[in-house]
Amino acid sequence: MNFDLSEEQQMIVDSVAKFVANDSPVERFRKLRDSERGWDPEVWKRMGEFGWLGVAYPEEQGGFGGDFVDLALILEQLGKGLVPEPLLPSVVLAGGLISRLGTEAQVKAFLEPMVEGETSLALAYAERQSRYCLSDCLTTAEREDGSDLFTLNGEKTWVLNGAFADQIVVVARTEGQPQDERGLSLFIVDGNAARLTRTVVRGMDGHRTGLLNFDGVQVSADRLLGAQGEALSHLEWAMDRGAAAACAEGQGQIQELFDHSVAYLKERKQFGVPIGSFQALQHRAADMFAEVELCKSTMILAAILVDSEDPEERMAEISAAKLQLSDGGWFVQKNAIQLLGGIGVTDEQDEGLLFKRLRVLQGLFGDADHHVERFQTREGFDAHLRVP
Amino acid sequence: MDMTLSPQHLEFRDELVTWIAAAMPPEMKRRADAGAEFGPEDGMAWQKILYEKGWAAPAWPVECGGTGWDVTQRHIFTEELMRANAPQLSPFGLGMVGPLLVQYGSEEQKQRFLPKILSGDEIWCQGYSEPNAGSDLASLQLRAEKDGDDYILNGQKTWTTYAQYADWIFILCRTGSEGKKQEGISFLLVDIRNTPGITVKPFLTTGGTYAFSETWFENARVPQSNRVGPEDGGWSMAKALLGHERTLIGGVAESLRWLQFAKRIARDTPVGTGRLLDDSGFRRRIARAEMRLRAITMAQNRTLAAAQLGRAPGAESSILKLVGTELLQQATELCMDAMGHDALGWLDSPPEALPEHERSVASQWNYLRAATIYGGSNEIQRNVISKDILGLPTR
Ligand SMILES: Cc1cc2nc3c(=O)[nH]c(=O)nc-3n(C[C@H](O)[C@H](O)[C@H](O)COP(=O)(O)OP(=O)(O)OC[C@H]3O[C@@H](n4cnc5c(N)ncnc54)[C@H](O)[C@@H]3O)c2cc1C
């Protein structure tokens, strides 16, 4: 076992941290949250030039052949500055699926331009009724006999970066009943396709999502991603990466909130002394510290195991990490606000922005209850009973 | 980054598992498999077996009887013993005073004491706490006055775990009253069985066992040559010893054992037409605890990996006692809850009323309330984190 950063990883961390400090402190996000799209295509392009958008893809796909840990380290640093560019939907979710399932032509057409920062991507999976159930998909894709075209009908909600993405990977049912595990397929749909209506929805965290309406959108068969009807296990894989990425980005916010709290405990005086000299608050801080360290531990674990080909262990550890992000993270974030007193609920303070983004990440890719349920319904939960 | 154990470590683990299963006497093995709780006598018997194999004190230097294993091997060893539910060894000699003597003992002290600690021929206990010196240990008052080549001891220790089984006790006592209260303290080794003037009075714990004692000293005479470290220098001995106490304090393996036990009880407990283990509400409670255990395990692995590289434990190690003991208690609570009415039973409930392996659950659930009290209470842990790690101001 060794959890030290390699030299290259340390270099990545240092360069991203430097970028956040110099070019993208929370101030930049503050300005962008009122802009139309919420992020800046010029900065996205620079991220492409830095190589951040391609770290985790193989070299033959225009990537740098790194692993998910490298990407997680980038996300963690970007999370500290609330950098709003869409790495999560574009690089982790949609890009991850194209890299995994795409034909050479699809990779060339859709992944490589994104890696260079020319375009951005999104993954449309959630629907009004679906909550976290991936197979609960009412959107359909039908193909007339002998036709080269699929026709998509349905609606997708809360699509991260969905309103502005150049290409959107859309989950649609090509056969079976709603909630059937078989019959889901992925399509790479042009963001500007005819009969696709995109409504911009502004999120609590200042990011934009898309409400997408497919009203007979036609997609040619060469935009089918992966085998028809077999998308579910790949989607689960992508959601696990999303969860691991949420843990990584969220770690940035958790650490930041905690560091702010400790600094404020030392600096703020009441009753003639620093409030950090009150034992009630010292103990609160110690408990927050414990949760921060556990979050950090599970975040590393999730990032390492996301590439594991043993789905049982992967799912168990990622669920444990996501639960820690939700429960442990929540303990840190709510107390970070409490310890600030009144200014903790002013929009002027960065803490509130960190707080909101963290809550969004906690609700994506399965909340705490969802992951506890998944953990206890998996086979291994009972398999342990072999041991007396 | 690399999560995996090396092939050598995996092989080591397999060999251990096989050895442990074969080395336990049949009755001990039967009870271990049934999940029974062992007493101090079982621990002593098991120590003899480990000693014969050369494995009683893996962490000691090889020349003193250690194994020369690396940190990870030692960790695997502890974990596998716990998994096999082997009797636990008394930590006071092997884990505390032994390593301290290795580090600070005189040559005579090492030769006199280490071999018998290792073989288990002499059992040790720890005399730190006093009625008025618990968390505030440095305010201890047991007096040691010089008389010729001896010290004369007067005063009282308390909460002395298993003093009634011990041959020797290591104590902190007051040899000076000048300066700060940490300054006049000395570290002594005392023959608790044969020194006139020492009285041991065991206490009944809420767990129904006599796990600790009051220990009285009345003009008890101890040679000065039994002092470890300089006179009035006992506080730094105590701190050095604390370092040895820290290993594996997270209790991960122990929590794992209790959680598996909870599942097993739930599996064997009928509810309506099914079993308690089919109840999704109960499964979720166990799941949450298991998921937390995974998080703590990973924090512990980070500490371990740093130690394997020869580095001091990082900040994450300071949380292990805190979060680990709370989870351990929670795991015993799950066992109690799984038992339903059976949780009303007690250590002497007959087997037709309560299965043998469930008999000590209530006792342990009671006793392990202590996990958040001893070894530096969890409030003290929070003080240490907030001051030493976070640098929060004192008043
Ligand atoms: C099962 C068991 C076995 C033990 N075995 C031994 C042994 O073998 N040898 C030995 O020497 N001792 C032993 N102890 C004693 C143990 O070390 C003490 O109980 C412990 O140090 C706490 O001291 P106390 O019991 O006097 O509680 P106190 O120190 O009186 O504490 C009472 C409460 O106040 C809290 N508190 C105290 N100070 C502070 C503070 N500064 N800030 C916030 N909260 C505070 C504590 O956390 C606790 O909740 C054992 C204890 C138990 C329960």
Side-chain angles (χ1 to χ4, degrees):
Chain A
M1 286 188 297
N2 182 346
F3 304 109
D4 286 0
L5 298 186
S6 68
E7 226 170 274
E8 296 86 71
Q9 286 172 331
Q10 191 59 54
M11 270 165 54
I12 297 178
V13 169
D14 292 345
S15 66
V16 184
K18 205 168 123 205
F19 165 82
V20 170
N22 297 339
D23 301 335
S24 189
V26 176
E27 270 319 296
R28 186 174 80 89
F29 164 68
R30 262 183 200 287
K31 292 191 193 114
L32 281 168
R33 68 178 171 155
D34 294 324
S35 71
E36 191 205 352
R37 130 192 326 243
W39 57 274
D40 180 354
E42 285 309 311
V43 171
W44 186 244
K45 219 179 219 149
R46 272 177 70 200
M47 290 178 164
E49 284 158 19
F50 294 152
W52 298 349
L53 308 182
V55 271
Y57 303 128
E59 282 167 35
E60 58 275 18
Q61 296 184 342
F64 291 84
D67 58 21
F68 195 87
V69 174
D70 302 336
L71 182 54
L73 293 169
I74 294 176
L75 290 168
E76 181 185 8
Q77 293 305 318
L78 295 177
K80 290 187 181 193
L82 291 171
V83 175
E85 277 64 30
L87 275 84
L88 183 48
S90 197
V91 176
V92 177
L93 299 177
L97 282 168
I98 296 174
S99 166
R100 181 179 173 90
L101 302 172
T103 60
E104 216 171 292
Q106 287 171 335
V107 166
K108 203 150 197 60
F110 305 121
L111 188 67
E112 289 182 9
M114 189 280 286
V115 166
E116 282 164 19
E118 300 291 340
T119 59
S120 72
L121 307 172
L123 173 67
Y125 58 95
E127 298 184 0
R128 279 175 204 275
Q129 80 295 339
S130 71
R131 206 172 159 85
Y132 300 118
C133 178
L134 295 169
S135 58
D136 191 346
C137 175
L138 301 178
T139 301
T140 54
E142 284 170 62
R143 184 184 196 170
E144 304 250 316
D145 281 341
S147 161
D148 185 40
L149 293 176
F150 286 88
T151 306
L152 268 65
N153 280 294
E155 186 193 44
K156 295 287 175 184
T157 57
W158 304 115
V159 183
L160 306 176
N161 194 42
F164 299 99
D166 298 280
Q167 302 292 334
I168 306 163
V169 176
V170 179
V171 186
R173 187 165 284 292
T174 40
E175 64 224 74
Q177 301 300 312
Q179 299 196 25
D180 278 0
E181 300 206 335
R182 282 213 58 233
L184 295 180
S185 305
L186 301 171
F187 296 91
I188 306 172
V189 178
D190 193 296
N192 295 315
R195 309 191 73 87
L196 165 61
T197 318
R198 304 201 274 182
T199 308
V200 183
V201 182
R202 191 179 142 117
M204 164 174 79
D205 57 354
H207 288 228
R208 304 295 179 280
T209 66
L211 177 63
L212 309 190
N213 201 292
F214 299 84
D215 182 19
V217 175
Q218 302 219 305
V219 184
S220 65
D222 59 4
R223 282 175 169 260
L224 173 69
L225 179 63
Q228 183 175 330
E230 306 291 343
L232 185 62
S233 68
H234 303 296
L235 262 182
E236 283 172 347
W237 173 87
M239 288 299 116
D240 274 354
R241 290 170 96 76
C247 290
E249 190 194 324
Q251 186 62 29
Q253 285 122 33
I254 289 169
Q255 188 71 53
E256 204 66 2
L257 281 164
F258 179 67
D259 292 348
H260 290 199
S261 300
V262 172
Y264 195 68
L265 285 170
K266 292 177 185 173
E267 148 204 327
R268 169 73 173 170
K269 285 201 171 126
Q270 283 295 280
F271 301 97
V273 291
I275 57 172
S277 65
F278 300 130
Q279 197 184 44
L281 303 192
Q282 292 180 341
H283 283 197
R284 193 86 52 85
D287 287 332
M288 289 164 76
F289 176 72
E291 297 306 327
V292 172
E293 285 300 319
L294 291 178
C295 285
K296 193 177 203 165
S297 300
T298 50
M299 166 243 161
I300 296 171
L301 190 58
I304 293 175
L305 281 180
V306 95
D307 283 324
S308 156
E309 283 307 320
D310 173 0
E312 166 82 27
E313 259 321 276
R314 182 192 86 203
M315 281 160 61
E317 293 290 7
I318 284 176
S319 286
K322 195 64 177 26
L323 174 66
Q324 178 61 31
L325 177 77
S326 289
D327 283 8
W330 175 244
F331 185 80
V332 176
Q333 81 197 103
K334 72 176 179 187
N335 279 305
I337 300 299
Q338 176 70 17
L339 295 180
L340 280 175
I343 59 162
V345 288
T346 59
D347 186 67
E348 244 169 61
Q349 288 288 121
D350 290 350
E351 285 79 3
L353 304 180
L354 294 158
F355 179 92
K356 287 190 270 194
R357 176 63 181 163
L358 190 50
R359 179 58 185 81
V360 166
L361 292 172
Q362 286 160 337
L364 287 170
F365 319 117
D367 62 5
D369 287 337
H370 170 85
H371 281 284
V372 172
E373 188 64 13
R374 184 172 91 153
F375 188 91
Q376 67 94 357
T377 47
R378 77 190 208 286
E379 226 173 75
F381 186 78
D382 297 286
H384 282 298
L385 289 173
R386 281 180 281 116
V387 186
Chain B
M1 293 201 195
D2 176 19
M3 276 294 307
T4 51
L5 289 176
S6 67
Q8 293 89 316
H9 284 139
L10 287 172
E11 196 179 314
F12 175 77
R13 163 165 280 166
D14 291 343
E15 283 168 16
L16 266 183
V17 171
T18 318
W19 183 83
I20 294 169
M24 278 194 207
E27 175 59 10
M28 185 185 282
K29 177 89 171 64
R30 189 192 65 76
R31 287 175 60 207
D33 289 347
E37 201 60 42
F38 290 107
E41 296 89 349
D42 302 298
M44 291 176 211
W46 181 233
Q47 183 173 340
K48 290 268 183 261
I49 294 169
L50 290 173
Y51 173 70
E52 294 299 324
K53 178 75 181 171
W55 288 356
W60 290 18
V62 178
E63 61 276 16
C64 299
T67 53
W69 292 340
D70 65 23
V71 182
T72 307
Q73 284 175 303
R74 297 197 314 254
H75 174 74
I76 293 172
F77 181 66
T78 317
E79 220 175 53
E80 288 309 325
L81 288 180
M82 189 65 74
R83 247 190 255 275
N85 193 27
Q88 295 191 39
L89 308 191
S90 165
F92 303 111
L94 295 169
M96 296 186 195
V97 73
L100 186 79
L101 287 173
V102 168
Q103 209 176 347
Y104 293 106
S106 66
E107 217 31 62
E108 299 80 70
Q109 287 171 339
K110 286 187 205 177
Q111 282 178 9
R112 164 64 189 81
F113 294 112
L114 291 181
K116 292 191 169 170
I117 292 177
L118 204 60
S119 66
D121 287 334
E122 286 177 349
I123 304 294
W124 284 77
C125 64
Q126 176 182 33
Y128 278 16
S129 305
E130 298 181 7
N132 289 314
S135 300
D136 182 15
L137 184 59
S139 67
L140 60 93
Q141 282 162 7
L142 188 136
R143 285 215 62 84
E145 302 205 46
K146 269 198 200 137
D147 184 56
D149 290 339
D150 297 334
Y151 287 114
I152 312 264
L153 304 184
N154 277 292
Q156 186 198 347
K157 292 293 174 185
T158 192
W159 319 129
T160 329
T161 297
Y162 289 140
Q164 71 271 37
Y165 297 96
D167 304 291
W168 285 81
I169 182 170
F170 57 91
I171 62 167
L172 292 175
C173 57
R174 191 150 293 286
T175 39
S177 48
E178 307 286 296
K180 290 205 311 191
K181 60 186 177 183
Q182 284 83 358
E183 278 164 18
I185 293 173
S186 296
F187 191 103
L188 297 187
L189 312 176
V190 182
D191 181 340
I192 195 175
R193 255 187 219 283
N194 303 309
T195 308
I198 300 183
T199 317
V200 173
K201 205 177 125 220
F203 271 114
L204 189 59
T205 65
T206 51
T209 56
Y210 288 90
F212 47 35
S213 300
E214 282 180 304
T215 312
W216 301 82
F217 296 77
E218 208 185 331
N219 294 320
R221 193 171 273 277
V222 178
Q224 285 185 36
S225 58
N226 280 9
R227 191 186 64 235
V228 184
E231 186 163 82
D232 294 347
W235 192 248
S236 45
M237 295 297 115
K239 283 209 289 205
L241 193 143
L242 210 63
H244 297 297
E245 223 180 319
R246 280 195 92 125
T247 35
L248 281 183
I249 203 115
V252 160
E254 208 177 344
S255 293
L256 181 66
R257 183 167 83 80
W258 280 101
L259 287 173
Q260 294 195 356
F261 197 24
K263 275 194 205 169
R264 192 170 148 202
I265 296 171
R267 179 195 62 191
D268 297 340
T269 300
V271 176
T273 53
R275 321 229 136 230
L276 180 59
L277 195 61
D278 306 328
D279 179 85
S280 60
F282 195 74
R283 289 173 72 89
R284 283 190 202 115
R285 287 179 63 199
I286 296 186
R288 276 184 176 269
E290 274 192 11
M291 292 163 95
R292 180 109 177 140
L293 183 63
R294 282 177 185 250
I296 299 173
T297 304
M298 181 60 187
Q300 185 182 273
N301 285 344
R302 285 170 63 206
T303 307
L304 197 66
Q308 179 77 37
L309 293 170
R311 276 203 304 264
E316 73 283 350
S317 71
S318 65
I319 69 163
L320 293 176
K321 155 98 206 304
L322 189 62
V323 295
T325 50
E326 282 170 8
L327 183 68
L328 176 60
Q329 292 180 337
Q330 202 192 330
T332 65
E333 288 155 25
L334 282 164
C335 284
M336 286 291 278
D337 292 351
M339 284 167 65
H341 281 141
D342 283 359
L344 302 179
W346 196 235
L347 290 165
D348 54 1
S349 301
E352 60 272 26
L354 187 67
E356 179 186 359
H357 64 276
E358 290 184 7
R359 215 186 285 160
S360 54
V361 173
S363 161
Q364 284 293 310
W365 168 78
N366 274 283
Y367 177 76
L368 282 172
R369 292 285 104 204
T372 48
I373 298 170
Y374 58 55
S377 78
N378 284 18
E379 287 74 27
I380 297 298
Q381 302 293 332
R382 290 183 176 94
N383 288 348
V384 171
I385 291 173
S386 68
K387 304 227 160 68
D388 294 356
I389 296 175
L390 307 180
L392 293 178
T394 34
R395 275 220 275 175

